[in-house]
Amino acid sequence: MTLNSIGDLARGLTLHSRSTEIKSQIETLSYEMSTGKTQDVSGRLGGDYAYLLDLDRSLERLDALSIATAEARLFTDAMQLSLTTFSDSVAEMSASLLSFGTANQTVTHEQASVQARNELDTMVSALNTRAGGRSLYSGTSTDVSPVSSADTVLAALRAELTGLTTATDIRQAAEDWFSDPAGFDTVIYQGGADTLAPMQISEDERIALPITATDPALKAALRDVAVAALATDDALGWAPGLRTALFTELGVGLANTQDTTVNLRAQVGAAEARVEQAATRNAAAKTSAEYARNELIAADPYETAARLQTVQFQLESLYSVTVRNANLSLVNFLR
């Protein structure tokens, strides 16, 4: 092998090595142009990943909190909607009973009881509302509906009211059964004894919604509407005059109960507001952390573009040299 051929081989190896190096630089710069991030993170950080890892952990926590606030928002919104439905039934039934209470007609009484039966269905359905597969008013037993059917409520209450002949005795018996732990809470309520645990919505903030179907305000409304639904029950045999007096008292009672259901809605509304505020703060913190992370490993687009253009020019020049070298080698070979 001649000295010229050895020189050509060395020159070719050098050009190939340089070509590989430039192509690698182009790949790196192209990546940085497309992602806006430096590929050599270790070099940028000087080998110190502590701050970057801390930002990554913060972003992971904020992502988890974003899911938590979304679930809390779903839960509180659904609870607010169900309480609104429940409260609307209470208001409608109160107005109707006060109106029907002024009439001492069998047909009017029948209409009142039918309406009460329908509103009781609506109220029970509202309390059995689920959000994200979880019952709202079952306490910790979120996998079961908290209240048995309206038919079950009426059947159990009917047994307690049989034989009573005065409005005072009827209302007292109904109140006793709904208040007795062995009454409504055992026969009708199917949820857990413990209230739902507070929901985490930020690093140091939780919201509590300790409302179950055994809440006194909810039970009082169910009780008065259920009694109104049974007022014309043939098995009880209450006289028209008794029904009229009963409807008036129940209408007044429901009007008072409505104030307490409004308080429950206000409690849920306050929780909704806190969830929204926490979600806003979490989103702002996430944006700030993402910005800090991006700034830490960001590639300057203008500098990267200039370097990419320079390297591309170097590659083109190298190709030109390679072609010229190949042509000269061919000439030397033909001599």
Side-chain angles (χ1 to χ4, degrees):
M1 182 179 292
T2 66
L3 291 176
N4 284 339
S5 63
I6 293 175
D8 291 342
L9 179 60
R11 190 183 302 114
L13 291 174
T14 301
L15 292 173
H16 178 72
S17 176
R18 180 56 179 160
S19 173
T20 301
E21 180 184 349
I22 293 175
K23 288 179 180 178
S24 177
Q25 291 178 9
I26 289 177
E27 288 180 2
T28 298
L29 293 169
S30 296
Y31 168 83
E32 292 181 351
M33 278 292 292
S34 61
T35 63
K37 301 176 182 177
T38 181
Q39 192 171 52
D40 184 15
V41 176
S42 179
R44 171 64 65 82
L45 300 178
D48 184 3
Y49 283 84
Y51 185 42
L52 181 62
L53 292 175
D54 183 62
L55 287 172
D56 286 340
R57 285 191 293 269
S58 294
L59 287 170
E60 288 177 1
R61 288 196 301 271
L62 289 168
D63 283 337
L65 287 172
S66 176
I67 296 173
T69 53
E71 292 177 348
R73 182 186 291 114
L74 174 65
F75 198 90
T76 54
D77 287 352
M79 183 170 279
Q80 186 67 258
L81 182 60
S82 64
L83 285 177
T84 298
T85 300
F86 190 96
S87 183
D88 287 346
S89 289
V90 173
E92 184 69 25
M93 203 63 239
S94 175
S96 296
L97 289 178
L98 290 173
S99 175
F100 288 130
T102 61
N104 193 25
Q105 301 177 11
T106 302
V107 174
T108 304
H109 292 165
E110 291 288 351
Q111 291 173 347
S113 288
V114 169
Q115 182 181 354
R117 177 64 174 79
N118 292 336
E119 296 295 352
L120 184 63
D121 273 332
T122 299
M123 294 161 70
V124 168
S125 178
L127 294 180
N128 287 337
T129 299
R130 291 174 177 261
R134 298 189 301 170
S135 291
L136 302 181
Y137 301 97
S138 291
T140 53
S141 300
T142 57
D143 58 330
V144 297
S145 296
V147 181
S148 299
S149 68
D151 287 336
T152 303
V153 174
L154 294 176
L157 185 58
R158 183 185 294 109
E160 300 298 320
L161 302 183
T162 299
L164 302 180
T165 57
T166 67
T168 300
D169 290 344
I170 292 169
R171 297 199 65 205
Q172 187 61 54
E175 182 176 346
D176 291 344
W177 185 75
F178 270 85
S179 301
D180 187 354
F184 177 91
D185 291 5
T186 298
V187 179
I188 303 302
Y189 180 64
Q190 307 299 313
D194 297 323
T195 58
L196 197 64
M199 291 178 275
Q200 191 85 34
I201 57 174
S202 70
E203 290 280 0
D204 53 3
E205 186 177 8
R206 297 183 178 186
I207 59 166
L209 289 170
I211 305 173
T212 71
T214 59
D215 185 273
L218 301 178
K219 288 201 296 183
L222 290 172
R223 177 196 68 213
D224 288 347
V225 174
V227 172
L230 290 172
T232 58
D233 192 299
D234 292 337
L236 296 175
W238 293 340
L242 173 58
R243 298 172 185 171
T244 298
L246 196 56
F247 285 154
T248 300
E249 292 184 20
L250 293 173
V252 172
L254 286 171
N256 294 330
T257 300
Q258 189 179 3
D259 293 336
T260 56
T261 58
V262 168
N263 290 337
L264 291 179
R265 291 173 59 189
Q267 180 180 342
V268 175
E272 284 182 298
R274 290 178 60 196
V275 170
E276 291 302 324
Q277 292 167 1
T280 300
R281 290 195 302 270
N282 293 340
K286 183 178 180 181
T287 299
S288 177
E290 287 175 339
Y291 178 80
R293 190 184 192 283
N294 290 337
E295 284 294 301
L296 196 63
I297 60 174
D300 188 310
Y302 301 105
E303 179 185 348
T304 303
R307 289 174 58 197
L308 182 59
Q309 186 176 9
T310 300
V311 173
Q312 286 173 336
F313 177 75
Q314 291 175 353
L315 183 62
E316 292 172 0
S317 300
L318 183 63
Y319 282 156
S320 297
V321 171
T322 302
V323 171
R324 180 175 178 79
N325 182 65
N327 289 336
L328 290 176
S329 298
L330 178 61
V331 170
N332 291 334
F333 176 78
L334 293 175
R335 283 177 178 176

